[in-house]
Amino acid sequence: MAKPIRVPYLVTGTNEYGCINQDRSSPTLALRLAQKLLRDGYMDVRVCTPRGRVLKSDELDELTPQDTPRKETYMAKGEQRGNREAKKPKKEKAKVIAAAPSRKEVASQSGFGPAKKK
């Protein structure tokens, strides 16, 4: 025997052509669908909650997102921050200008005479 599937939120509405029944998994989605049906001209829009309570169109404000727990917002992998400690900044190096001659080289040259050969 097949296992029955439980529908958390059932949204129903009636217009001049017939009746519509759709299920939604969260109260936010059920509220959005019920508001859309009301905008489209459906009459007798109702939402049945998982506990069996039927909310009419004037009671839909009870499904507002403030009553539901918020889910974490997902970010792209590049925007996520890791839980590692921040690295220490590197020690700044003195900038060397290539056009200016170094003073150390001039001081180390004592004589300009010929070098000794071995």
Side-chain angles (χ1 to χ4, degrees):
M1 189 157 129
K3 209 176 190 182
I5 299 173
R6 185 172 179 213
V7 178
Y9 292 88
L10 180 66
V11 182
T12 62
T14 307
N15 66 359
E16 66 256 11
Y17 301 112
C19 184
I20 185 171
N21 295 322
Q22 292 188 355
D23 61 332
R24 293 293 182 259
S25 59
S26 71
T28 307
L29 296 175
L31 178 64
R32 265 192 227 157
L33 178 62
Q35 290 171 343
K36 181 184 179 297
L37 292 177
L38 287 170
R39 280 192 308 266
D40 291 345
Y42 280 80
M43 301 170 287
D44 195 27
V45 176
R46 297 175 183 211
V47 177
C48 182
T49 63
R51 294 187 178 198
R53 182 165 182 223
V54 178
L55 303 173
K56 296 181 183 178
S57 59
D58 58 341
E59 300 172 328
L60 291 178
D61 57 342
E62 295 180 22
L63 288 177
T64 54
Q66 61 189 346
D67 296 337
T68 59
R70 291 186 175 231
K71 293 183 180 178
E72 288 187 31
T73 55
Y74 294 101
M75 295 188 299
K77 197 165 190 173
E79 295 176 0
Q80 292 177 352
R81 298 196 312 183
N83 57 356
R84 289 186 186 176
E85 288 186 24
K87 292 183 178 180
K88 293 181 181 178
K90 292 184 177 180
K91 188 175 181 180
E92 291 184 21
K93 295 181 181 178
K95 292 184 180 179
V96 178
I97 301 173
S102 175
R103 293 186 181 179
K104 290 182 182 178
E105 293 174 7
V106 175
S108 66
Q109 294 178 355
S110 59
F112 292 103
K116 291 184 181 178
K117 293 183 181 179
K118 289 184 183 180

